[in-house]
Amino acid sequence: MSSPQQLPLDSDVEVDDSTAAGRFEVAVHLRPSSLGLVALGGAVGTAARYLLSAAYPAIDGLPVTTFGINLMGAFLLGVLLESLSRRGSDAGRRRALRLLLGTGVMGGFTTYSALSVDTVTLLGAGRILEGILYALGTVVLGALASIGGIALSSWLHTRRRRMPAS
């Protein structure tokens, strides 16, 4: 009887086995370097969101900039994660890029907290249909944007592999 296949560990919580014997092993998500990458990326993403929101305020009370930011962020996250996954395991440089750009920049850039506040504001102002369409539209179109980003990245990867070497 064969032994059951061991499932992979979550890349954010697996323990680094490369530490010397007897040393305290730190989970990946608790390492200062990982936290620093996420914090740096988050600062960049949040600043970009703030600048866009300041440059393009709501139109007739509709938070179109927040809507666009969330869709763009979902698309870019799909592109990033598909690109990284096609290049190998989530380790080393790929993990650092995922933490910096994915969790950090895109986490700071997209704003589902503003989505909820904007939705409540629309609903509270009696704009029920707009509030519902805004909330559902962001989630549904965001999922489709992610799928589109994944599809684009996959297509580009396949196209690159088919191109003859020069």
Side-chain angles (χ1 to χ4, degrees):
M1 175 178 262
S2 64
S3 64
Q5 184 179 14
Q6 185 177 5
L7 296 174
L9 295 173
D10 183 337
S11 61
D12 287 334
V13 294
E14 69 185 29
V15 175
D16 182 7
D17 293 330
S18 65
T19 57
R23 288 188 54 196
F24 181 77
E25 296 176 345
V26 179
V28 172
H29 71 287
L30 296 177
R31 292 184 189 154
S33 60
S34 296
L35 295 172
L37 287 171
V38 172
L40 175 64
V44 169
T46 301
R49 174 174 34 95
Y50 172 78
L51 292 172
L52 283 171
S53 295
Y56 303 100
I59 298 173
D60 191 29
L62 292 174
V64 292
T65 304
T66 301
F67 183 74
I69 285 170
N70 285 336
L71 296 185
M72 185 187 321
F75 176 80
L76 292 173
L77 192 57
V79 168
L80 173 70
L81 296 180
E82 180 68 15
S83 296
L84 291 174
S85 71
R86 288 188 171 269
R87 286 178 168 73
S89 66
D90 185 47
R93 182 181 255 167
R94 283 181 296 279
R95 180 182 292 152
L97 283 171
R98 179 181 56 80
L99 290 172
L100 175 69
L101 299 175
T103 307
V105 173
M106 289 300 109
F109 184 63
T110 59
T111 174
Y112 284 89
S113 59
L115 163 67
S116 62
V117 169
D118 292 340
T119 301
V120 168
T121 301
L122 288 168
L123 295 173
R127 299 171 76 174
I128 306 300
L129 181 61
E130 291 160 311
I132 291 170
L133 288 175
Y134 173 67
L136 289 176
T138 300
V139 173
V140 171
L141 293 176
L144 291 174
S146 293
I147 292 167
I150 291 166
L152 175 65
S153 183
S154 178
W155 178 77
L156 290 172
H157 177 79
T158 303
R159 186 171 174 242
R160 259 186 250 127
R161 292 188 73 201
R162 288 185 187 160
M163 293 178 73
S166 23

